[in-house]
Amino acid sequence: MSEPANAPVNVLVCSDLDRTLIYSVNSMALTGPDEDMPRLVCVEFYQGAPLSYLTETAARGLEALAAVTTFVPTTTRTPEQYRRVHLLDKPPAYAICANGGHLLVDGVDDADWAAAVRARNAEAGAPLAEIGEYLTRIGGDFVLKRRTASDLFAYTVVDRAALPPSWVEDLTGWCAERGWRTSLQGRKVYCLPAALTKAAAATEVARRSGADLMLAAGDSLLDTELLEAADAAVRPAHGELHDTGWTAPHTAVTTASGIAAGQEIVGWLLERSAQSPPGDGGRS
Ligand SMILES: [Mg+2]
């Protein structure tokens, strides 16, 4: 479909949150003299204490981005965990939670979407209970907590220093035989149905919002399909994808790492959403 060179483009921006846009004190990796540190905005409290931050520049950039695009927080967090995060003055119209297992529309869970995802998972792989039992069976002293999320997937909190390198590898192999996959992020080892992707939910939001162009950002293995589904994407120079050397032709990598990468990602998304796609742009 040909469009005039400067036709307005309906841009969808789907971005992961943790370690892509928002950072805990442990993940922000700020180095340098104290007097050079950027001003930070706290966007999440947990049990009464501040937990997640972005730079003030990134916060301003996100407001600008949300004003000109359909900006969709796209996270593995459960809806409950997501609701603690106050990224914008006005909450976004859409949010993707539980790695695509929940789609919030104006803050309300879309029950039909959640049911459809669960039906698809049930067909595609082993039940969550089987994964949970196995995790209990193989656990060692390094497993600090075991949790399930949204009745969809499981994760364990581990002591990274004591975690045997082969443990995640063996778990990954076991999961793969059952239509599941793993992701190691900080102190958490996730086990998710392979069919549960952020990309599927992002494609649904693209359809509903009539997007011409999709931009994406993410840092972990759970973001790969999302980055691949987008017309253009960006990832930080840290995290699981960076550690595994993951690249894709249309995915940019930040220069900075830590919370500074978050600011760079917002800048990149703003710049890309302002560009009218030259010739090849558009999803139609
Ligand atoms: Mg992340």
Side-chain angles (χ1 to χ4, degrees), residues 20 29 49 58 75 98 108-109 116 121 127 158 185 194 221 269 272:
T20 296
T75 178
V108 180
D109 187 38
N121 287 342
V158 297
Q185 299 179 38
L221 285 175
L269 292 169
R272 287 305 297 252

Side-chain angles (χ1 to χ4, degrees), residues 58 66 91 94 100 113 120 128 171 211 217 246:
Y94 295 99
W113 174 259
R120 201 160 57 223
L128 174 59
L171 178 62
W246 186 89

Side-chain angles (χ1 to χ4, degrees), residues 16-22 74-76 185 190 198 217-223 236 238-240:
D16 173 50
L17 295 179
D18 294 88
R19 294 167 201 241
T20 296
L21 290 183
I22 66 175
T74 305
T75 178
T76 305
Q185 299 179 38
Y190 291 88
K198 292 179 176 182
D219 72 300
S220 86
L221 285 175
L222 300 179
D223 297 310
H238 64 242
E240 201 176 22

Side-chain angles (χ1 to χ4, degrees), residues 24-277:
S24 66
V25 168
N26 286 336
S27 66
M28 61 177 64
L30 278 171
T31 54
D34 289 344
E35 62 266 31
D36 293 344
M37 290 301 127
R39 291 219 297 200
L40 303 179
V41 176
C42 177
V43 292
E44 180 184 24
F45 274 71
Y46 179 58
Q47 296 180 340
L51 181 61
S52 301
Y53 302 82
L54 35 61
T55 69
E56 190 175 47
T57 304
R60 285 210 196 102
L62 268 188
E63 290 291 347
L65 187 67
V68 295
T69 68
T70 302
F71 170 73
V72 184
T74 305
T75 178
T76 305
R77 285 175 176 242
T78 62
E80 295 72 28
Q81 292 165 340
Y82 164 71
R83 288 191 176 105
R84 295 198 301 255
V85 180
H86 303 289
L87 268 186
L88 301 168
D89 285 342
K90 182 175 169 281
Y94 295 99
I96 292 167
C97 296
N99 216 62
H102 287 285
L103 179 56
L104 307 189
V105 183
D106 294 323
V108 180
D109 187 38
D110 182 326
D112 290 343
W113 174 259
V117 169
R118 279 155 181 78
R120 201 160 57 223
N121 287 342
E123 269 172 37
L128 174 59
E130 187 181 335
I131 311 300
E133 278 164 27
Y134 185 71
L135 283 171
T136 305
R137 209 165 352 124
I138 63 166
D141 292 345
F142 49 88
V143 176
L144 308 176
K145 286 178 200 167
R146 284 182 203 86
R147 296 279 183 272
T148 57
S150 296
D151 283 329
L152 278 170
F153 60 89
Y155 64 90
T156 58
V157 178
V158 297
D159 175 357
R160 277 296 286 266
L163 180 69
S166 62
W167 192 80
V168 177
E169 213 175 290
D170 293 347
L171 178 62
T172 303
W174 185 88
C175 281
E177 289 168 14
R178 287 156 184 84
W180 283 60
R181 61 175 168 163
T182 63
S183 173
L184 176 62
Q185 299 179 38
R187 301 193 313 140
K188 286 180 180 167
V189 182
Y190 291 88
C191 295
L192 290 94
L196 182 66
T197 66
K198 292 179 176 182
T203 303
E204 174 65 10
V205 176
R207 190 186 66 77
R208 294 189 192 187
S209 66
D212 304 304
L213 185 82
M214 193 206 297
L215 304 177
D219 72 300
S220 86
L221 285 175
L222 300 179
D223 297 310
T224 49
E225 297 89 355
L226 179 68
L227 301 180
E228 282 164 356
D231 296 289
V234 59
R235 71 159 175 84
H238 64 242
E240 201 176 22
L241 292 180
H242 195 66
D243 294 345
T244 56
W246 186 89
T247 56
H250 73 300
T251 301
V253 181
T254 62
T255 309
S257 59
I259 198 167
Q263 180 174 313
E264 198 179 328
I265 285 166
V266 173
W268 187 94
L269 292 169
L270 256 178
E271 200 174 296
R272 287 305 297 252
S273 61
Q275 285 169 7
S276 48

